[in-house]
């Protein structure tokens, strides 16, 4: 029996697609380095149907690739080797909201923005946020332990998952942690599945925690002269007001967003570096504290200019200076890096990184932006307009070992939040020791003995 014949035992024609458009659409994520080439796309509707599919894959030896909103940037959801893509578009229901537990039990295909809206409708808040929240799905967020723009204030997706139902790669259904806050009964397998990039099994249900709505979130954009001032401003504001976000970018990204999206510059003065910080402006005393802190930083020469939002609309517009960068630089076919070091190491790291990239990429333009408040820098190399993409990606990759060598020397991460997928897989050793990778492989073999779950992602097949 062929794989397609086996699949047609489980899925009607409507939920088993093989046409070229669907193969292209569902076979890839937002990265454009690998060519998609899936065999088929299936759309299960329940945990039991996912279980039946996994059992079928084990029996007939075919590979499965989980597919959420496909907004990933590391090729984790790419099917380039005749795999069967498992889309969660039909498993998109909110199953239960519990006001006492402040939790939402939902299927993995629920869109991030939908969860945020549901929280808001109930006077609560789901704090994990990023530019792709309008299309990314909760299952994918959990599978990649998504971070985003509020990690300094609220942590990663991991912090908000209190329960998971998974189907393991060998076809067992596990219900993990049951929405509990406290549970000291041994290994917490929930946390193993969070960030596992679909290599151990499928997430088929999740219980997500919500929190109280922050009051009057206010945004400040500051221009700063250099990296050491940037770090001083970080330390000073963090001690004074505990910001909910602390992001950074450079003049060139302001210019690109202005050019691509027509967004006005935040203020007249151009600055080498910018900070966007957000805080709960819930009392006059707090606002005064912010203004005092701003003045102190300006007196020290750490801040060149600044603006503070006076309305929700202005806060949203200022956020766009940071959130629209990724989409705006797509016009330049960027080669993306997602690096992290401890915050205290950022100045030394940036200095070495800048020296390296200007020496090794003299003809390429380099821009960076990132979640500086949690040590995460997005270093993007922009493709010269007249260079073919393949040649450009190849040229960029020649410097990977040196960039990742710097990361390793600082015991940082080669992928802070985008995941490993296909794109970072061959560099995993720069962030993980040999013994650790061996344990990771051993764990995969326990949950997925026949290697049907997203083979070749994160770990070589
Ligand atoms: C961001 O911080 O904007 C996202 O991680 C996407 C990107 O790095 O381009
Ligand atoms: Zn990011």
């Amino acid at each position: 029996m062929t794989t397609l014949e086996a699949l047609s035992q489980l899925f009607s024609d409507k939920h088993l697609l093989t046409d070229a458009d669907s193969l292209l659409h569902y076979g890839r994520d937002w990265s454009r380095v690998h060519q998609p080439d899936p065999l088929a796309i299936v759309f299960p509707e329940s945990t039991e149907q996912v279980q039946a599919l996994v059992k079928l894959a084990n029996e007939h030896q075919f590979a499965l690739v989980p597919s959420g909103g496909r907004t990933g940037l590391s090729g984790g959801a790419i099917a380039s080797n005749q795999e069967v893509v498992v889309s969660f578009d039909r498993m998109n229901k909110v199953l239960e909201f519990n006001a006492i537990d402040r939790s939402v039990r939902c299927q993995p295909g629920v869109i991030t923005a939908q969860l945020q809206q549901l929280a808001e409708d109930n006077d609560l808040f789901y704090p994990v946020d990023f530019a792709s929240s309008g299309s990314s799905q909760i299952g994918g967020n959990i599978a990649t332990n998504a971070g985003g723009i509020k990690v300094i204030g609220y942590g990663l997706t991991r912090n908000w998952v209190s329960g998971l139902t998974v189907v393991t790669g060998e076809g067992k259904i596990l219900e993990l942690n049951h929405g509990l806050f406290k549970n000291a009964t041994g290994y917490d397998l929930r946390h193993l599945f969070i960030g596992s990039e679909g290599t151990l099994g499928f997430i088929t249900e999740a219980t997500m925690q919500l929190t109280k709505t922050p009051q009057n979130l206010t945004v400040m954009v500051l221009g700063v002269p250099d990296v050491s001032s940037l770090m001083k401003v970080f330390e000073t504001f963090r001690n004074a007001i505990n910001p909910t976000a602390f992001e950074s970018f450079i003049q060139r990204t302001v210019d690109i967003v202005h050019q691509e999206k027509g967004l006005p510059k935040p203020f007249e003065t151009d600055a080498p570096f910018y900070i966007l910080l957000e805080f709960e402006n819930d009392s006059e005393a707090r606002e005064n504290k912010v203004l005092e802190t701003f003045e102190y930083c300006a007196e020290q020469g750490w801040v060149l200019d600044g603006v503070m939002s006076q309305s929700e609309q202005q806060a949203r517009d200022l956020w766009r200076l940071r959130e629209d960068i990724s989409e705006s630089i797509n016009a330049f076919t960027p080669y993306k890096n997602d690096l992290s070091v401890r915050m205290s190491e950022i100045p030394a790291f940036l200095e070495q990184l800048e020296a390296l990239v200007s020496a090794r990429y003299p003809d390429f333009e380099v821009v960076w932006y990132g979640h500086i408040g949690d040590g995460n820098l997005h270093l993007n190399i922009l493709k010269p307009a007249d260079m073919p993409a393949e040649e450009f990606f190849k040229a960029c990759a020649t410097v990977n070992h040196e960039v990742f060598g710097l990361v390793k020397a600082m015991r940082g991460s080669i992928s802070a939040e985008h995941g490993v997928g296909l794109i970072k897989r061959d560099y995993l050793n720069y962030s993980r020791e040999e013994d650790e990778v061996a344990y990771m492989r051993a764990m995969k073999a326990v949950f997925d003995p026949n290697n049907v779950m997203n083979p070749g992602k994160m770990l070589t097949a």
Side-chain angles (χ1 to χ4, degrees):
M1 197 190 298
T2 66
T3 302
L4 285 177
E5 283 164 355
L7 289 171
S8 65
Q9 297 175 343
L10 272 184
F11 295 95
S12 67
D13 284 357
K14 207 171 139 201
H15 301 132
L16 167 57
L17 302 182
T18 54
D19 61 285
D21 284 353
S22 302
L23 295 181
L24 178 66
H25 179 71
Y26 288 97
R28 66 181 183 183
D29 58 14
W30 275 0
S31 65
R32 289 291 179 265
V33 178
H34 300 87
Q35 272 306 316
D37 184 23
L39 176 73
I41 323 296
V42 295
F43 298 83
E45 64 169 350
S46 65
T47 298
E48 289 67 32
Q49 201 179 12
V50 173
Q51 181 183 40
L53 172 64
V54 171
K55 286 187 171 164
L56 204 68
N58 278 277
E59 194 183 322
H60 292 271
Q61 296 279 295
F62 59 85
L64 301 167
V65 174
S67 171
R70 294 174 306 286
T71 56
L73 291 165
S74 65
I78 298 233
S80 56
N81 205 14
Q82 289 287 290
E83 302 95 328
V84 174
V85 174
V86 184
S87 164
F88 285 91
D89 284 1
R90 285 173 80 212
M91 291 179 68
N92 60 354
K93 292 171 198 59
V94 171
L95 303 171
E96 184 189 355
F97 164 70
N98 190 312
I100 295 178
D101 295 335
R102 282 187 169 170
S103 69
V104 179
R105 195 162 60 79
C106 62
Q107 291 186 307
V110 167
I111 306 284
T112 315
Q114 206 184 325
L115 179 62
Q116 290 166 338
Q117 187 59 52
L118 183 136
E120 199 179 317
D121 294 344
N122 290 284
D123 290 329
L124 289 167
F125 186 59
Y126 180 66
V128 180
D129 197 14
F130 24 72
S132 62
S133 60
S135 43
S136 64
Q137 297 181 0
I138 295 301
N141 294 352
I142 297 172
T144 54
N145 187 22
I149 53 180
K150 306 224 175 171
V151 173
I152 186 178
Y154 294 99
L156 298 144
T157 299
R158 180 183 300 290
N159 303 66
W160 301 92
V161 180
S162 59
L164 279 185
T165 301
V166 301
V167 176
T168 68
E170 65 172 347
K172 291 197 170 134
I173 297 174
L174 302 178
E175 289 185 10
L176 306 172
N177 201 58
H178 311 119
L180 296 172
F181 259 55
K182 294 181 105 176
N183 180 8
T185 52
Y187 305 137
D188 194 338
L189 300 184
R190 162 187 52 155
H191 284 298
L192 192 54
F193 274 80
I194 299 170
S196 64
E197 300 187 24
T199 60
L200 304 178
F202 288 106
I203 292 156
T204 60
E205 204 177 290
T207 304
M208 307 303 294
Q209 292 302 135
L210 308 177
T211 188
K212 95 173 183 21
T213 309
Q215 297 303 301
N216 191 22
L217 283 177
T218 298
V219 172
M220 240 182 173
V221 172
L222 309 173
V224 295
D226 48 41
V227 175
S228 91
S229 303
L230 201 155
M231 297 317 292
K232 293 276 189 213
V233 174
F234 171 61
E235 191 184 340
T236 313
F237 268 94
R238 189 149 76 146
N239 288 339
I241 56 155
N242 262 328
T244 49
F246 196 96
E247 301 278 308
S248 186
F249 43 94
I250 59 174
Q251 181 64 44
R252 180 69 174 124
T253 68
V254 175
D255 295 340
I256 294 176
V257 172
H258 174 65
Q259 180 187 314
E260 297 292 318
K261 303 276 183 187
L263 271 191
K265 299 182 179 187
F267 32 72
E268 281 295 303
T269 327
D270 276 2
F273 300 96
Y274 288 83
I275 290 166
L276 181 152
L277 68 91
E278 184 197 68
F279 60 97
E280 263 190 278
N281 196 358
D282 51 4
S283 65
E284 211 180 309
R286 199 163 163 80
E287 183 163 318
N288 288 340
K289 181 93 183 158
V290 169
L291 295 173
E292 254 170 48
T293 311
F294 170 79
E295 270 161 34
Y296 174 75
C297 289
E299 274 162 26
Q300 301 301 311
W302 301 332
V303 168
L304 303 171
D305 207 340
V307 59
M308 187 165 98
S309 65
Q310 302 299 322
S311 66
E312 271 184 41
Q313 185 57 47
Q314 200 188 354
R316 271 197 295 274
D317 289 346
L318 288 174
W319 257 122
R320 287 191 59 194
L321 288 166
R322 167 64 186 87
E323 286 217 89
D324 284 10
I325 297 173
S326 189
E327 205 179 301
S328 300
I329 62 168
N330 272 347
F332 299 83
T333 321
Y335 183 81
K336 299 179 93 67
N337 275 291
D338 169 38
L339 313 170
S340 74
V341 292
R342 288 182 303 286
M343 279 83 90
S344 56
E345 306 268 23
I346 288 174
F349 181 60
L350 265 178
E351 194 182 320
Q352 291 174 35
L353 198 58
E354 256 165 24
L356 176 67
V357 293
S358 56
R360 300 288 269 112
Y361 295 130
D363 303 326
F364 297 158
E365 191 181 2
V366 176
V367 296
W368 73 263
Y369 51 92
H371 317 283
I372 201 93
D374 56 44
N376 182 185
L377 302 171
H378 295 307
L379 173 81
N380 285 255
I381 327 284
L382 307 187
K383 187 178 85 55
D386 54 358
M387 194 171 202
E390 209 175 317
E391 191 186 323
F392 169 67
F393 285 137
K394 220 165 144 190
C396 290
T398 57
V399 187
N400 277 349
H401 289 287
E402 288 165 72
V403 171
F404 296 156
L406 285 185
V407 172
K408 187 177 164 90
M410 293 201 171
R411 300 170 67 82
S413 174
I414 59 152
S415 184
E417 62 171 2
H418 294 171
V420 180
L422 275 179
I423 293 178
K424 298 286 151 58
R425 180 194 69 187
D426 296 341
Y427 305 100
L428 192 59
N429 62 314
Y430 284 93
S431 282
R432 300 297 191 105
E433 297 296 332
E434 209 178 301
D435 285 344
E436 206 181 352
V437 174
Y439 277 119
M440 286 164 77
R441 282 187 183 289
M443 280 179 211
K444 174 152 172 74
V446 168
F447 289 99
D448 180 27
N450 294 320
N451 201 22
V452 299
M453 286 304 309
N454 219 3
K457 310 291 168 45
M458 186 194 291
L459 301 164
T460 43

